[in-house]
Amino acid sequence: MINLLEAFKNEDSFTKKKFGQHFLTNKAILDKIIEAANITKDDNVIEIGPGCGVLTQLITETKASTIALEIDTELMEFLNRYLFFYKNLTIINQDASTADYDKIYEDKSVIIIGNLPYNVSVKIFEKAAMRKNIKNMVFMFQKEVADRIIAKPNSKAYSSLSVFTSYFFDTIKIKDISGANFWPNANVMSTVLKFVPKKEKEFTGEKEQQFFKFLRHAFRQKRKTLKNNLHDIDDISSLLLQAGLINTSRAEELTLEKFKELFNIIYEKHTF
């Protein structure tokens, strides 16, 4: 296999901060990501931010059909020069934070994988999570973001992102990774997470979108009570009581199931 990182260093010798480029160098960790994704030759893979292609090369070696989304046109040209012989790989110049994931492989099941740029990782994750047919997703995040994603009720990191994630997925923590495993070195810890879609979701269409807006409202000022954060809903105290909650209840105390229960009570009377 080609040493793509060394080839990139020889040609360019620098990364672009505006794209949050830090390339993973540890082969053992790269292998662990591939293992977690459980890719077979019959799969369809979307890779987000292939960078200099070290993970891309391992994905394509599985023989799976692979589409890589790369925002940096110069990196895209680099990848096409070195990986052109992989006929199962297509590289698209695309901003992953605005991509329409349902149009990539259309209705086919996909695995989505990537080392997400820290500055837009949540936006990319939320976009990808909404895709209709996902086999699994394996992403690397800044550890602080990963902690929010996997946080449980009554913990400091618990947020609307935690509930959003638990609505769609069962999440497995694969590994924490120090900044020394990247080039250039990252000054933060990273975490690899695997997301396995739940078989059923309670809401669809517009009601689902309203549920996500409701979550953001419920958490908009974390130190305040649900009554204060949802103060624009008429008779919120009575609606909270119907859900078995009180005026001093806070969003950080509620499980996904309790959020769904409260939302169903509110939904008929309020649009977010």
Side-chain angles (χ1 to χ4, degrees):
M1 294 177 68
I2 303 166
N3 189 326
L4 290 167
L5 181 59
E6 288 305 314
F8 180 82
K9 288 180 179 179
N10 290 334
E11 287 193 20
D12 294 279
S13 73
F14 67 94
T15 57
K16 297 174 183 175
K17 288 185 178 180
K18 68 177 179 178
F19 294 138
Q21 293 172 346
H22 291 271
F23 302 148
L24 187 58
T25 60
N26 188 316
K27 178 64 164 52
I29 297 172
L30 290 163
D31 287 339
K32 189 171 282 291
I33 292 171
I34 295 294
E35 180 185 356
N38 193 28
I39 304 168
T40 73
K41 63 181 179 59
D42 298 318
D43 284 319
N44 303 294
V45 179
I46 300 172
E47 185 189 10
I48 295 173
C52 68
V54 289
L55 183 61
T56 315
Q57 195 170 18
L58 295 177
I59 295 170
T60 53
E61 287 289 333
T62 68
K63 310 301 182 185
S65 176
T66 305
I67 293 176
L69 309 182
E70 177 53 62
I71 192 173
D72 186 342
T73 55
E74 292 180 352
L75 265 179
M76 180 178 172
E77 292 170 1
F78 171 86
L79 293 168
N80 278 323
R81 283 200 305 276
Y82 283 93
L83 299 179
F84 70 91
F85 52 88
Y86 286 107
K87 303 306 180 186
N88 57 323
L89 172 65
T90 302
I91 304 163
I92 299 174
N93 184 214
Q94 173 73 63
D95 181 348
S97 68
T98 60
D100 186 341
Y101 290 90
D102 280 326
K103 289 185 177 179
I104 305 171
Y105 290 117
E106 296 181 337
D107 295 328
K108 295 179 180 177
S109 176
V110 299
I111 293 171
I112 311 179
I113 189 169
N115 175 12
L116 303 187
Y118 292 155
N119 55 339
V120 288
S121 62
V122 172
K123 186 175 181 180
I124 291 173
F125 169 67
E126 290 180 341
K127 284 278 290 182
M130 297 292 290
R131 194 188 191 279
K132 292 184 177 66
N133 195 350
I134 296 171
K135 180 178 177 181
N136 69 65
M137 305 197 304
V138 180
F139 290 145
M140 186 184 300
F141 299 89
Q142 183 175 342
K143 186 177 183 299
E144 180 182 333
V145 174
D147 288 346
R148 287 171 53 206
I149 287 172
I150 62 177
K152 303 299 182 186
N154 293 304
S155 65
K156 186 177 180 181
Y158 193 60
S159 67
S160 60
L161 179 60
S162 317
V163 186
F164 173 91
T165 304
S166 64
Y167 173 81
F168 282 108
F169 303 105
D170 292 315
T171 306
I172 304 164
K173 183 175 179 177
I174 304 300
K175 189 174 180 61
D176 289 330
I177 303 167
S178 73
N181 291 287
F182 296 85
W183 181 83
N185 283 9
N187 59 4
V188 296
M189 290 287 292
S190 299
T191 302
V192 178
L193 299 177
K194 178 176 181 175
F195 303 91
V196 180
K198 292 182 174 177
K199 292 183 178 179
E200 294 184 6
K201 299 182 297 178
E202 184 157 337
F203 310 125
T204 58
E206 178 60 25
K207 188 172 184 180
E208 186 175 76
Q209 294 302 314
Q210 288 291 313
F211 178 62
F212 299 146
K213 291 180 182 177
F214 159 72
L215 291 177
R216 289 193 289 272
H217 278 250
F219 280 96
R220 58 185 163 186
Q221 294 190 61
K222 196 168 182 182
R223 293 186 179 183
K224 292 197 172 183
T225 62
L226 280 168
K227 180 183 176 182
N228 282 329
N229 282 339
L230 302 174
H231 64 86
D232 48 347
I233 298 173
D234 292 336
D235 203 17
I236 185 59
S237 293
S238 174
L239 298 173
L240 288 169
L241 190 61
Q242 288 181 50
L245 301 169
I246 57 178
N247 285 339
T248 56
S249 296
R250 299 177 185 273
E252 65 196 44
E253 301 167 353
L254 273 62
T255 63
L256 169 64
E257 294 307 314
K258 182 58 74 172
F259 270 117
K260 290 193 290 188
E261 180 185 348
L262 177 59
F263 174 72
N264 276 324
I265 290 169
I266 292 173
Y267 180 70
E268 299 301 324
K269 300 182 179 181
H270 186 85
T271 300
F272 289 90

